[in-house]
Amino acid sequence: MSKHIIPHSYQISNEDRMASNKHNSLLIWFTGLSGSGKSTIANVVEQKLFKKGIKTYTLDGDNIRKGINNDLTFSPEDRTENIRRIAEVSNLMLDAGLVVLAAFVSPYKKDRENIRTIVKDVNFVEVYINTSVDECERRDVKGLYKKARAGEIKNMTGISSPYEAPVNPDIEIKTEIETVEDSVKRIVDFITPKLLRQ
Ligand code: ADP
């Protein structure tokens, strides 16, 4: 199939778009258990960047699992396909010159490594939101842990499905000892030099 797909040469390049935006594109990928704080932190990071005039977009379970990936379950194979598609969508957004914030449990190490391959290492910042299962379960923001304990949800990450923690993330946030504000500052400080154009 793909051997017959010959790319058209468009006149507006990724470089043109980044120059027009006055910043580089970047994918900030938040991984961690459900309820760990990914969306909360990503949301505040996005607000800070947006206020600086940076072109941003946030991808999360709400806008992806209800749309493009609404045919996928939480089986290991579908979780892998979920992340692959999100990485490809992110890649288009990077090509469009955006700073993409992606907040997904993304429990498998090999899937997260695959994102790096798809979007190229230089565009990718991995943020590990490290919150213990006990704390996530205590917060139980969406009531999912309760349902998992009751056996109503199968394949619940941290309970009945594995989470492979990043070994060497670019940033690790321990939300049990760090405030949202401090976490956000650390992320913004880390990525700001990467957004600057020479
Ligand atoms: P996720 O997107 O990882 O599923 P959410 O961001 O939806 O998680 O939920 C995390 C919950 O934890 C929110 O209710 C948030 O207010 C709370 N929380 C408490 N302390 C922190 C912290 N330091 N960082 C992020 N979230 C925190």
Side-chain angles (χ1 to χ4, degrees):
M1 186 83 170
S2 60
K3 73 177 177 183
H4 296 306
I5 296 177
I6 295 132
H8 187 88
S9 175
Y10 287 98
Q11 296 305 304
I12 311 288
S13 69
N14 173 239
E15 265 305 309
D16 295 332
R17 294 176 206 280
M18 294 196 297
S20 170
N21 288 346
K22 300 189 178 61
H23 62 77
N24 292 325
S25 50
L26 188 69
L27 172 59
I28 312 169
W29 190 278
F30 297 81
T31 173
L33 296 171
S34 176
S36 58
K38 301 181 297 296
S39 322
T40 302
I41 293 169
N43 189 18
V44 184
V45 170
E46 182 174 33
Q47 288 173 59
K48 297 259 186 240
L49 298 178
F50 191 84
K51 276 190 196 143
K52 291 187 194 186
I54 292 166
K55 310 287 180 213
T56 60
Y57 194 77
T58 298
L59 298 171
D60 67 8
D62 286 343
N63 57 24
I64 289 287
R65 283 245 180 220
K66 287 183 185 152
I68 191 171
N69 286 357
N70 69 4
D71 57 327
L72 300 178
T73 68
F74 288 86
S75 70
E77 302 73 34
D78 278 8
R79 282 176 186 260
T80 294
E81 177 60 9
N82 182 46
I83 299 305
R84 187 194 69 78
R85 287 186 203 169
I86 296 162
E88 292 290 356
V89 168
S90 301
N91 204 27
L92 293 175
M93 292 183 158
L94 293 178
D95 195 34
L98 302 180
V99 170
V100 183
L101 300 96
F104 296 94
V105 176
S106 42
Y108 303 138
K109 195 164 169 285
K110 68 169 174 21
D111 292 347
R112 295 192 304 266
E113 282 167 0
N114 193 36
I115 306 163
R116 224 179 253 281
T117 310
I118 291 172
V119 305
K120 314 279 180 297
D121 192 46
V122 64
N123 296 315
F124 183 74
V125 171
E126 186 177 48
V127 182
Y128 173 29
I129 307 296
N130 184 357
T131 308
S132 67
V133 184
D134 286 353
E135 174 63 11
C136 291
E137 192 164 2
R138 196 188 59 73
R139 293 178 189 169
D140 209 2
V141 189
K142 297 176 179 167
L144 297 175
Y145 288 94
K146 197 167 173 227
K147 286 187 183 163
R149 292 290 182 199
E152 288 168 40
I153 296 178
K154 295 185 176 61
N155 292 333
M156 178 72 191
T157 305
I159 305 289
S160 45
S161 183
Y163 179 78
E164 299 169 2
V167 179
N168 195 15
D170 296 298
I171 305 174
E172 179 172 355
I173 308 279
K174 295 186 174 170
T175 69
E176 284 151 277
I177 53 173
E178 208 170 352
T179 64
V180 173
E181 199 181 318
D182 289 347
S183 311
V184 168
K185 183 170 186 318
R186 235 158 31 90
I187 295 167
V188 172
D189 287 351
F190 183 86
I191 63 163
T192 298
K194 295 180 185 292
L195 300 180
L196 293 179
R197 294 184 56 75
Q198 303 305 322

